[in-house]
Amino acid sequence: MDRDTPITELKGVGEKTARLFGKLDIRTVGELLAAYPRDYEVFGEPVKIGRAASGEVCAVQGAVSGIPNERRIRNLSILNVVIADESGRLQLTFYNMPFLKKTLRQGGFYIFRGLVRAKGAVPVMEQPKIFSLADYDRLMNRLVPRYALTKGLTNQAVQKYVRQALAGCAFEPEYHDPALLEENQLVSWREAVETVHFPDDRDSLIRARRRLVFDEFFSFLYLMRRGRQLDRQLENRHRMPETADARRFLEQLPFPLTKAQEKVWREIREDLAGESCMNRLVQGDVGSGKTIVAVLALLTAAANGYQGALMAPTEVLAVQHFETIQGYAEKYGLIFRPVLLVGSMAAREKREAYRAIAAGEANLIVGTHALIQEKVQYRSLGLVVTDEQHRFGVRQRELLAQKGEDPHILVMSATPIPRTLAIILYGDLHLSVIDELPADRLPIKNCVVNTGYRPKAYRFIAGQVAQGRQVYVICPQVEGDADDAEGGIPMENVVDYAETLKSALPADIRVSYLHGRMRPGDKNRIMNQFAEHSIDVLVSTTVIEVGINVPNATVMMVENAERFGLAQLHQLRGRVGRGEHQSYCIFVSADEKAESMERLEILNKSNDGFHIASEDLKLRGPGELFGIRQSGEFSFRVGDIYADAGLLKQASEAVDRLLAADPELSLPEHGRLKAHLERAAEAGVDFRSI
Ligand code: ADP
Ligand code: MG
């Protein structure tokens, strides 16, 4: 068995289970092994009942101190049992498990593990898991992996298959030079993968993770830098002096540019007209107004007789940009002759677009990765702009650039990264920062609340919808999976939550949902409906994070906010507060622990993306490095550019040395590494649609 072996070869995986895995994009043994745990459950020492703190998951050991009491409410059976030790009493509540009456006899001694809540005189543990002393002993202090699941697939089942795959899979031989592993203190790939699934302890998990992260950074940086001479400045082959068009457009705009926008526009102008070809990254927080700056550059290209291309990561964003620019063109008489090019267009429309592009009739081409298809031939591509670029492989950016002869390149990103990291991640790009929001913005009003606040939040949402506004609700999961509700902190999911909201809100409010596992066509349809206001409340996973602009949306409610990185929550918050109306953010935390609340309070107090990212990092322990995604925008699977900045630097140095010694990897000792990186390149070229 190797990594390309279909999972159906695993014992016990039949067609039905394979279909469930298919929903998680797992089809081969390799994909199963690459589906690292989402986090780990630690079975700590049982505590005295009197010490079981409210809001925490813990294990207690105690004797059943009374006769279990069953109540029925319609179809629901509620079983209450009290346990006690010398330090106190605790009530256990089980739903729909009436058979436990027989197991939990008075005087029986067990370990119970679950979330404790303060409720009246005696605290309550709901739906705990029950262990015998011997069973618990075996689990104690182990890190038990918890996988992303789908309905019908339990965590235990996934564990079982992963074990089987680890035992049976022939791993590819180590591809890194032993000296490199030694120098960077990295474990072997095989050890890393085994440990990440079933760690012995926290230290070995951290070591395993280091290797995975290093490799991820290494492949990325190698593929990005390969074939590029970083120190060479390309000559400017398309001089684009400033024309009256840009100035006239600015005079007519209803608002002045902010100082920061002006500064960046000056830098771009100088690049376009200067000695060397532009290669610039514009960083600006969500809502800082990056689009206008790009439009000014594209307008200057068009005025100089060149074609400009604007590539966005999703169809919805591409269409939005297209409509915005077309709107400007009509209103202000701009010289744009724009065409749109996205995957879902009919073949006939596409052919017409190709023709207009090849003939040079179109001087502005807006689209998705459809812009880099082989069929698209540009007439005179002089400027390439990519929006929210981290969503594209660097490769896509290069493919687009190759459609012209050294066109100017402008990359726009909302991810706040310090200059030192930007140099590593973007290599030779010059950096411009828009560090100021337009002055007319009403600051977003934030609140951090617990789940008890929901009824109030729903009333508030209904009120906003009644005033004609729209609402986003974010949940961390696509569908429910039983394992999360038990014991641990409940996790909300998009599909069920949309149903809950439909019944909680007035019937005329149009609720719909969106998530990454829907078909691309369906996703587009829903996002368009929301943009056109035929949906009032959109329940979604973080797929809506990227740049969508619906200025009429005024409420962003995030469920299980404790599950997200602060930088990601900040990006989500950027979806509201884009128009004239006062906007609100409601962060709902299901975890009432002081640390979680404190972490979220940072968002409450600051609207500055840089500040938020650095504070978040300070508050996180190494154990949290797997569960929380810091920068949803940089799509590394395990690595985190902030938390792993040190490793990023190490990987960067290793790649530089490799490129200096053997740029094409033609030496025999680099054969395995070459094969490995080629695989990584193939995987990377796939366009990651939202
Ligand atoms: P982002 O940087 O997140 O891409 P956008 O470019 O989409 O932000 O701009 C967000 C909104 O702010 C748009 O509706 C845009 O028209 C508006 N905007 C941009 N610049 C200014 C400005 N200087 N003053 C007022 N509003 C602005
Ligand atoms: Mg944008």
Side-chain angles (χ1 to χ4, degrees):
M1 184 189 309
D2 64 22
R3 63 173 166 197
D4 295 322
T5 309
I7 46 163
T8 42
E9 304 273 305
L10 293 172
K11 253 204 331 268
V13 181
E15 225 174 85
K16 188 168 151 254
T17 310
R19 247 200 321 276
L20 295 174
F21 273 120
K23 282 197 187 176
L24 300 169
D25 282 326
I26 296 172
R27 284 170 191 90
T28 63
V29 167
E31 284 165 354
L32 177 63
L33 291 180
Y36 307 136
R38 202 179 51 215
D39 58 13
Y40 301 84
E41 205 167 0
V42 190
F43 290 81
E45 299 253 5
V47 298
K48 291 259 183 268
I49 288 176
R51 302 281 299 276
S54 152
E56 278 181 34
V57 173
C58 61
V60 294
Q61 176 175 321
V64 177
S65 79
I67 296 165
N69 159 15
E70 190 194 355
R71 270 188 301 145
R72 286 195 161 266
I73 300 178
R74 266 171 277 152
N75 288 331
L76 185 69
S77 141
I78 303 174
L79 188 70
N80 282 321
V81 185
V82 174
I83 59 165
D85 65 8
E86 69 284 358
S87 71
R89 283 148 55 80
L90 182 68
Q91 177 180 306
L92 311 177
T93 302
F94 298 92
Y95 299 104
N96 282 337
M97 300 174 92
F99 48 87
L100 286 177
K101 261 186 299 199
K102 297 216 176 68
T103 321
L104 299 173
R105 290 187 184 285
Q106 191 162 9
F109 202 73
Y110 298 96
I111 289 179
F112 301 94
R113 186 168 183 281
L115 178 67
V116 180
R117 291 190 185 282
K119 216 183 202 180
V122 182
V124 178
M125 187 184 269
E126 283 185 359
Q127 216 61 347
K129 285 190 177 158
I130 309 171
F131 303 88
S132 71
L133 269 52
D135 280 349
Y136 197 81
D137 215 41
R138 269 195 295 277
L139 281 173
M140 205 155 69
N141 291 328
R142 291 201 70 89
L143 295 163
V144 178
R146 300 210 307 169
Y147 294 96
L149 301 171
T150 185
K151 228 178 217 135
L153 199 59
T154 67
N155 198 46
Q156 258 144 334
V158 179
Q159 281 184 35
K160 191 176 76 189
Y161 299 130
V162 170
R163 266 189 214 285
Q164 224 190 101
L166 282 172
C169 181
F171 275 75
E172 61 176 338
E174 178 59 57
Y175 41 80
H176 275 316
D177 183 351
L180 179 133
L181 295 184
E182 161 107 38
E183 191 182 327
N184 291 290
Q185 298 183 311
L186 300 171
V187 299
S188 74
W189 180 251
R190 176 172 197 138
E191 184 183 333
V193 174
E194 283 173 349
T195 307
V196 97
H197 286 288
F198 298 107
D200 285 330
D201 51 42
R202 199 162 280 264
D203 287 348
S204 50
L205 175 60
I206 289 171
R207 277 196 301 276
R209 184 183 176 282
R210 271 179 59 86
R211 171 67 200 258
L212 302 183
V213 172
F214 182 91
D215 277 37
E216 200 176 14
F217 288 159
F218 187 95
S219 310
F220 171 79
L221 293 172
Y222 174 81
L223 295 171
M224 181 176 82
R225 292 177 191 174
R226 178 187 54 179
R228 271 217 242 147
Q229 281 159 302
L230 294 184
D231 45 7
R232 190 170 60 109
Q233 278 279 358
L234 287 175
E235 180 202 341
N236 184 351
R237 303 170 61 162
H238 317 286
R239 300 277 176 127
M240 301 176 184
E242 192 190 0
T243 66
D245 302 73
R247 273 195 302 274
R248 262 204 312 269
F249 174 48
L250 281 177
E251 277 162 21
Q252 295 180 81
L253 264 184
F255 49 76
L257 291 187
T258 61
K259 283 231 158 50
Q261 282 171 315
E262 267 195 47
K263 181 189 69 193
V264 173
W265 167 226
R266 185 176 344 108
E267 286 164 347
I268 292 172
R269 228 157 50 210
E270 285 167 5
D271 282 350
L272 292 175
E275 293 291 313
S276 25
C277 175
M278 175 165 74
N279 210 2
R280 187 167 289 281
L281 166 66
V282 174
Q283 245 184 47
D285 214 342
V286 279
S288 60
K290 295 183 287 294
T291 314
I292 279 287
V293 173
V295 170
L296 286 165
L298 290 162
L299 187 56
T300 305
N304 280 279
Y306 288 102
Q307 288 178 315
L310 170 58
M311 182 159 65
T314 64
E315 287 208 359
V316 172
L317 258 186
V319 170
Q320 249 182 17
H321 279 323
F322 179 76
E323 286 172 354
T324 304
I325 296 177
Q326 212 176 25
Y328 287 149
E330 281 164 17
K331 191 159 169 200
Y332 305 123
L334 307 181
I335 50 159
F336 283 132
R337 295 183 307 273
V339 293
L340 178 70
L341 190 55
V342 294
S344 69
M345 277 162 49
R348 192 178 35 80
E349 291 173 302
K350 276 189 203 157
R351 266 199 309 277
E352 171 51 25
Y354 297 151
R355 195 200 54 74
I357 297 167
E361 280 167 29
N363 60 6
L364 171 65
I365 302 96
V366 183
T368 53
H369 58 304
L371 298 188
I372 55 181
Q373 305 296 311
E374 223 163 285
K375 289 186 200 126
V376 194
Q377 300 288 334
Y378 295 83
R379 175 69 175 253
S380 55
L381 186 60
L383 169 65
V384 164
V385 182
T386 54
D387 191 17
E388 314 281 340
Q389 95 93 30
H390 33 268
R391 291 275 167 166
F392 297 104
V394 174
R395 189 95 193 104
Q396 266 95 10
R397 188 173 91 213
E398 286 193 342
L399 284 173
L400 182 52
Q402 281 161 15
K403 296 270 184 188
E405 289 172 12
D406 299 336
H408 295 288
I409 291 178
L410 186 63
V411 176
M412 300 194 289
S413 166
T415 306
I417 46 176
R419 187 170 286 269
T420 48
L421 291 186
I423 288 167
I424 292 175
L425 289 166
Y426 292 103
D428 49 347
L429 289 176
H430 294 112
L431 185 62
S432 291
V433 184
I434 307 187
D435 49 7
E436 177 188 6
L437 291 181
D440 64 348
R441 284 302 144 75
L442 290 170
I444 295 170
K445 293 194 174 156
N446 303 295
C447 64
V448 178
V449 295
N450 60 31
T451 51
Y453 186 83
R454 277 183 196 139
K456 214 167 152 188
Y458 297 161
R459 281 197 298 278
F460 182 74
I461 287 172
Q464 288 284 305
V465 173
Q467 289 173 40
R469 304 286 83 77
Q470 288 165 280
V471 176
Y472 297 101
V473 180
I474 307 297
C475 298
Q477 277 200 307
V478 173
E479 311 172 284
D481 68 57
D483 252 49
D484 279 304
E486 292 169 33
I489 291 159
M491 221 199 306
E492 300 304 327
N493 72 80
V494 166
V495 177
D496 294 336
Y497 205 94
E499 285 309 310
T500 310
L501 269 184
K502 274 182 203 159
S503 31
L505 295 173
D508 59 336
I509 294 186
R510 297 159 298 178
V511 179
S512 196
Y513 69 80
L514 179 72
H515 59 71
R517 283 193 219 150
M518 287 163 55
R519 274 198 302 265
D522 291 338
K523 277 191 291 206
N524 277 327
R525 185 173 47 81
I526 297 284
M527 288 215 261
N528 280 326
Q529 284 175 353
F530 190 68
E532 292 162 1
H533 198 171
S534 41
I535 293 171
D536 301 305
V537 178
L538 184 61
V539 184
S540 169
T541 53
T542 54
V543 296
I544 57 105
E545 193 183 337
V546 170
I548 185 172
N549 192 20
V550 181
N552 190 45
T554 53
V555 183
M556 167 62 70
M557 176 168 175
V558 184
E559 285 284 355
N560 291 108
E562 77 282 355
R563 291 244 155 209
F564 297 96
L566 293 186
Q568 197 175 10
L569 290 172
H570 178 64
Q571 295 280 337
L572 286 169
R573 171 162 67 185
R575 298 297 121 236
V576 296
R578 298 189 142 239
E580 60 198 294
H581 308 288
Q582 175 66 54
S583 290
Y584 307 86
C585 239
I586 307 169
F587 299 113
V588 183
S589 174
D591 180 357
E592 289 164 35
K593 276 209 292 288
E595 302 98 270
S596 305
M597 294 308 242
E598 189 190 336
R599 209 170 66 89
L600 292 172
E601 278 302 322
I602 294 170
L603 284 175
N604 218 347
K605 291 190 200 114
S606 173
N607 274 319
D608 174 352
F610 278 92
H611 173 73
I612 289 167
S614 68
E615 286 297 305
D616 191 19
L617 196 58
K618 281 189 221 152
L619 283 177
R620 284 196 295 160
E624 286 171 290
L625 291 187
F626 262 99
I628 291 180
R629 308 242 97 206
Q630 169 77 13
S631 36
E633 296 222 339
F634 258 103
S635 46
F636 289 111
R637 286 196 55 216
V638 190
D640 180 310
I641 55 165
Y642 298 90
D644 302 307
L647 270 176
L648 182 62
K649 213 161 148 246
Q650 278 171 270
S652 166
E653 283 162 12
V655 166
D656 281 346
R657 251 174 302 156
L658 180 67
L659 285 174
D662 183 14
E664 298 300 320
L665 301 185
S666 43
L667 296 174
E669 64 262 39
H670 290 142
R672 283 208 288 260
L673 181 58
K674 184 172 180 177
H676 167 77
L677 289 169
E678 272 164 11
R679 263 188 98 110
E682 268 170 43
V685 171
D686 279 355
F687 176 71
R688 287 181 44 127
S689 64
I690 54 172

